[in-house]
Amino acid sequence: MSAMFRSLKIFNYRLWFAGALISNTGAWMQRTAQDWIVLTELTDRDAAALGITMALQFGPILLLMPVSGLIADRFDRRQVLMWTQATQCALALGMGVLVISGQAQLWQVYAFALLLGIATAIDAPVRQAFVSELVTDADLSNAVALNSTSFQSARLIGPAVAGVLIAWIGSGPVFIVNGLSFAGVLLSLAFIRKHQLVATPRLAKAKGQIRDGLRYVVGRKDILVVLVMVFLVGTFGFNFPIFISTMSTVEFGLGATEFGVLSSIMAVGAIVGSLLAARRERVRLGLIVIAAAAFGSICVLAALAPTYWLFAAALVIVGATSLTMMNTANAYVQTTTAPMMRGRVMALYMAIFAGGTPIGAPVVGWVANEFGPRWSMGIGAASGILAAAIAGVWMLRSRRQRLVDEVAAELSARVEADPAEHRELATQEIAIVAATARRTS
């Protein structure tokens, strides 16, 4: 148990974790209230308007990725976070005042969603990279997993609290509550012990630094493989609102209550997956592959589930395996990336993870409409299995190539050390090894 929560022994991380939990809960509350007013107060259940709102809020993460990553590497991350968090606080309070006063219009929600998306696009990679300043590399994977646990816990609590508040006092005050919740993270940033932060060199201003980040990723084949996996599963596998809503309503013919239960059940599985990831002291590429394959396999079983409760049971494992994969991928990329590159690499990671949703969601939704919800879950299953297959093949080839290189190096040493009459034989052996490498690569 102590290993699972070891990062919380560090004062700075403990303070940050508490503030982030409060802020994340408020963010999920606002997301629920925003969806509610767009669908029920400002339109007549117009799903297209909701889609536009989501696109405006999440689109900037993809578009601003190069700039936000550079900001994370060049500037003081704590100071940047104070600005981005304060901006999000002001936007939440402003939207709350408009809704309470009865003056809110749809175009204003669009404008606030866009501004919030810009602030979040800058905040996300800085927040990810800032964790490496709160803990040492030895505890980084644990801290990343606990961050995810905080996020998933807020996802479980926030919408439920928002639903009660909307029914009790209306949607406007929910925005105000979210605005006030930013006090938690702002206070944690203000009281962090700066002398205990892990020193990270700042990037000096120079030309071509965005390209340097991209070249770094291209040169790191292992990170490139992880990003391909994250894209596949994030784009086609992480469409849980579509999977759950269509399975519960279309396939099983149930209502909103049962849909809400499924969402909560999956969130429980996600929390379990986050906590299990927090127990591991080292992150390995092989675990990402296993988790992706397990995610794809359990999605197949969920798609074939004959009853509501068997589907619900499968969702617990879907949640656990999906978070195990993504937490491990996140921790692997962070812990193996050079500190000077971490902000730019994490910005690319976040853009790939979040940016694929506008591509995958329409495809999965179309499949659900045309062929049924079970086939849409099949798309999610295929994404996990394909991601695991791609990474598995690369790992096998990479391992084989390393063995061939080691044998070739040993034989080369023998060529240098052996008497002249043995050099021809050793040279022939090297040629055979080189040919084998070419055939297996």
Side-chain angles (χ1 to χ4, degrees), residues 228-242:
V228 169
M229 296 178 71
V230 168
F231 172 77
L232 287 172
V233 177
T235 300
F236 300 104
F238 271 49
N239 293 288
F240 302 127
I242 297 175

PDB file of all heavy atoms in Angstrom, residues 228-242:
ATOM      1  N   VAL A 228       2.119   5.901 -31.748  1.00  0.00           N
ATOM      2  CA  VAL A 228       1.233   5.231 -32.704  1.00  0.00           C
ATOM      3  C   VAL A 228       0.151   4.447 -31.953  1.00  0.00           C
ATOM      4  O   VAL A 228      -1.036   4.482 -32.314  1.00  0.00           O
ATOM      5  CB  VAL A 228       2.036   4.292 -33.631  1.00  0.00           C
ATOM      6  CG1 VAL A 228       1.098   3.400 -34.449  1.00  0.00           C
ATOM      7  CG2 VAL A 228       2.925   5.097 -34.566  1.00  0.00           C
ATOM      8  N   MET A 229       0.547   3.757 -30.877  1.00  0.00           N
ATOM      9  CA  MET A 229      -0.420   3.008 -30.073  1.00  0.00           C
ATOM     10  C   MET A 229      -1.439   3.940 -29.436  1.00  0.00           C
ATOM     11  O   MET A 229      -2.649   3.663 -29.434  1.00  0.00           O
ATOM     12  CB  MET A 229       0.314   2.214 -28.987  1.00  0.00           C
ATOM     13  CG  MET A 229       1.238   1.135 -29.501  1.00  0.00           C
ATOM     14  SD  MET A 229       2.091   0.294 -28.152  1.00  0.00           S
ATOM     15  CE  MET A 229       0.739  -0.638 -27.438  1.00  0.00           C
ATOM     16  N   VAL A 230      -0.955   5.052 -28.880  1.00  0.00           N
ATOM     17  CA  VAL A 230      -1.847   6.020 -28.235  1.00  0.00           C
ATOM     18  C   VAL A 230      -2.828   6.595 -29.251  1.00  0.00           C
ATOM     19  O   VAL A 230      -4.016   6.777 -28.951  1.00  0.00           O
ATOM     20  CB  VAL A 230      -1.023   7.138 -27.565  1.00  0.00           C
ATOM     21  CG1 VAL A 230      -1.906   8.310 -27.154  1.00  0.00           C
ATOM     22  CG2 VAL A 230      -0.290   6.595 -26.350  1.00  0.00           C
ATOM     23  N   PHE A 231      -2.344   6.862 -30.473  1.00  0.00           N
ATOM     24  CA  PHE A 231      -3.234   7.394 -31.504  1.00  0.00           C
ATOM     25  C   PHE A 231      -4.333   6.388 -31.850  1.00  0.00           C
ATOM     26  O   PHE A 231      -5.519   6.738 -31.916  1.00  0.00           O
ATOM     27  CB  PHE A 231      -2.444   7.751 -32.758  1.00  0.00           C
ATOM     28  CG  PHE A 231      -3.319   8.128 -33.923  1.00  0.00           C
ATOM     29  CD1 PHE A 231      -3.919   9.375 -33.975  1.00  0.00           C
ATOM     30  CD2 PHE A 231      -3.569   7.222 -34.947  1.00  0.00           C
ATOM     31  CE1 PHE A 231      -4.754   9.723 -35.033  1.00  0.00           C
ATOM     32  CE2 PHE A 231      -4.395   7.558 -36.011  1.00  0.00           C
ATOM     33  CZ  PHE A 231      -4.986   8.809 -36.055  1.00  0.00           C
ATOM     34  N   LEU A 232      -3.966   5.141 -32.084  1.00  0.00           N
ATOM     35  CA  LEU A 232      -4.948   4.134 -32.482  1.00  0.00           C
ATOM     36  C   LEU A 232      -6.005   3.926 -31.406  1.00  0.00           C
ATOM     37  O   LEU A 232      -7.215   3.970 -31.676  1.00  0.00           O
ATOM     38  CB  LEU A 232      -4.244   2.813 -32.790  1.00  0.00           C
ATOM     39  CG  LEU A 232      -3.448   2.759 -34.100  1.00  0.00           C
ATOM     40  CD1 LEU A 232      -2.644   1.471 -34.190  1.00  0.00           C
ATOM     41  CD2 LEU A 232      -4.389   2.871 -35.297  1.00  0.00           C
ATOM     42  N   VAL A 233      -5.561   3.694 -30.171  1.00  0.00           N
ATOM     43  CA  VAL A 233      -6.507   3.408 -29.096  1.00  0.00           C
ATOM     44  C   VAL A 233      -7.261   4.672 -28.691  1.00  0.00           C
ATOM     45  O   VAL A 233      -8.469   4.631 -28.444  1.00  0.00           O
ATOM     46  CB  VAL A 233      -5.779   2.784 -27.886  1.00  0.00           C
ATOM     47  CG1 VAL A 233      -6.754   2.553 -26.736  1.00  0.00           C
ATOM     48  CG2 VAL A 233      -5.127   1.468 -28.285  1.00  0.00           C
ATOM     49  N   GLY A 234      -6.571   5.817 -28.636  1.00  0.00           N
ATOM     50  CA  GLY A 234      -7.241   7.057 -28.272  1.00  0.00           C
ATOM     51  C   GLY A 234      -8.268   7.494 -29.294  1.00  0.00           C
ATOM     52  O   GLY A 234      -9.314   8.048 -28.945  1.00  0.00           O
ATOM     53  N   THR A 235      -7.994   7.230 -30.575  1.00  0.00           N
ATOM     54  CA  THR A 235      -8.890   7.668 -31.642  1.00  0.00           C
ATOM     55  C   THR A 235     -10.103   6.755 -31.787  1.00  0.00           C
ATOM     56  O   THR A 235     -11.242   7.223 -31.888  1.00  0.00           O
ATOM     57  CB  THR A 235      -8.134   7.730 -32.978  1.00  0.00           C
ATOM     58  OG1 THR A 235      -7.050   8.654 -32.859  1.00  0.00           O
ATOM     59  CG2 THR A 235      -9.049   8.177 -34.116  1.00  0.00           C
ATOM     60  N   PHE A 236      -9.873   5.440 -31.780  1.00  0.00           N
ATOM     61  CA  PHE A 236     -10.959   4.503 -32.073  1.00  0.00           C
ATOM     62  C   PHE A 236     -11.434   3.690 -30.868  1.00  0.00           C
ATOM     63  O   PHE A 236     -12.516   3.102 -30.920  1.00  0.00           O
ATOM     64  CB  PHE A 236     -10.515   3.544 -33.183  1.00  0.00           C
ATOM     65  CG  PHE A 236     -10.158   4.240 -34.461  1.00  0.00           C
ATOM     66  CD1 PHE A 236      -8.834   4.404 -34.840  1.00  0.00           C
ATOM     67  CD2 PHE A 236     -11.150   4.754 -35.282  1.00  0.00           C
ATOM     68  CE1 PHE A 236      -8.497   5.053 -36.018  1.00  0.00           C
ATOM     69  CE2 PHE A 236     -10.826   5.415 -36.467  1.00  0.00           C
ATOM     70  CZ  PHE A 236      -9.500   5.562 -36.839  1.00  0.00           C
ATOM     71  N   GLY A 237     -10.638   3.677 -29.800  1.00  0.00           N
ATOM     72  CA  GLY A 237     -11.011   2.870 -28.643  1.00  0.00           C
ATOM     73  C   GLY A 237     -11.592   3.647 -27.491  1.00  0.00           C
ATOM     74  O   GLY A 237     -12.384   3.119 -26.706  1.00  0.00           O
ATOM     75  N   PHE A 238     -11.222   4.924 -27.367  1.00  0.00           N
ATOM     76  CA  PHE A 238     -11.661   5.717 -26.222  1.00  0.00           C
ATOM     77  C   PHE A 238     -12.930   6.527 -26.538  1.00  0.00           C
ATOM     78  O   PHE A 238     -13.049   7.671 -26.138  1.00  0.00           O
ATOM     79  CB  PHE A 238     -10.532   6.653 -25.774  1.00  0.00           C
ATOM     80  CG  PHE A 238      -9.619   6.024 -24.762  1.00  0.00           C
ATOM     81  CD1 PHE A 238      -9.084   4.771 -24.972  1.00  0.00           C
ATOM     82  CD2 PHE A 238      -9.289   6.686 -23.595  1.00  0.00           C
ATOM     83  CE1 PHE A 238      -8.240   4.176 -24.045  1.00  0.00           C
ATOM     84  CE2 PHE A 238      -8.453   6.102 -22.656  1.00  0.00           C
ATOM     85  CZ  PHE A 238      -7.926   4.840 -22.885  1.00  0.00           C
ATOM     86  N   ASN A 239     -13.867   5.909 -27.219  1.00  0.00           N
ATOM     87  CA  ASN A 239     -15.153   6.554 -27.505  1.00  0.00           C
ATOM     88  C   ASN A 239     -16.224   5.975 -26.586  1.00  0.00           C
ATOM     89  O   ASN A 239     -17.296   5.541 -27.021  1.00  0.00           O
ATOM     90  CB  ASN A 239     -15.530   6.349 -28.980  1.00  0.00           C
ATOM     91  CG  ASN A 239     -14.603   7.085 -29.915  1.00  0.00           C
ATOM     92  OD1 ASN A 239     -14.647   8.312 -30.010  1.00  0.00           O
ATOM     93  ND2 ASN A 239     -13.752   6.355 -30.596  1.00  0.00           N
ATOM     94  N   PHE A 240     -15.923   5.975 -25.299  1.00  0.00           N
ATOM     95  CA  PHE A 240     -16.784   5.308 -24.329  1.00  0.00           C
ATOM     96  C   PHE A 240     -18.191   5.894 -24.241  1.00  0.00           C
ATOM     97  O   PHE A 240     -19.152   5.139 -24.046  1.00  0.00           O
ATOM     98  CB  PHE A 240     -16.106   5.295 -22.955  1.00  0.00           C
ATOM     99  CG  PHE A 240     -14.767   4.613 -22.965  1.00  0.00           C
ATOM    100  CD1 PHE A 240     -13.635   5.252 -22.474  1.00  0.00           C
ATOM    101  CD2 PHE A 240     -14.629   3.336 -23.477  1.00  0.00           C
ATOM    102  CE1 PHE A 240     -12.408   4.625 -22.488  1.00  0.00           C
ATOM    103  CE2 PHE A 240     -13.393   2.700 -23.504  1.00  0.00           C
ATOM    104  CZ  PHE A 240     -12.281   3.342 -23.006  1.00  0.00           C
ATOM    105  N   PRO A 241     -18.374   7.222 -24.349  1.00  0.00           N
ATOM    106  CA  PRO A 241     -19.760   7.724 -24.331  1.00  0.00           C
ATOM    107  C   PRO A 241     -20.619   7.112 -25.425  1.00  0.00           C
ATOM    108  O   PRO A 241     -21.798   6.823 -25.209  1.00  0.00           O
ATOM    109  CB  PRO A 241     -19.576   9.238 -24.515  1.00  0.00           C
ATOM    110  CG  PRO A 241     -18.223   9.525 -23.966  1.00  0.00           C
ATOM    111  CD  PRO A 241     -17.396   8.327 -24.350  1.00  0.00           C
ATOM    112  N   ILE A 242     -20.034   6.905 -26.622  1.00  0.00           N
ATOM    113  CA  ILE A 242     -20.791   6.301 -27.719  1.00  0.00           C
ATOM    114  C   ILE A 242     -21.068   4.830 -27.419  1.00  0.00           C
ATOM    115  O   ILE A 242     -22.201   4.340 -27.554  1.00  0.00           O
ATOM    116  CB  ILE A 242     -20.032   6.448 -29.048  1.00  0.00           C
ATOM    117  CG1 ILE A 242     -19.867   7.928 -29.411  1.00  0.00           C
ATOM    118  CG2 ILE A 242     -20.749   5.696 -30.178  1.00  0.00           C
ATOM    119  CD1 ILE A 242     -19.022   8.157 -30.649  1.00  0.00           C
TER     120      ILE A 242
END
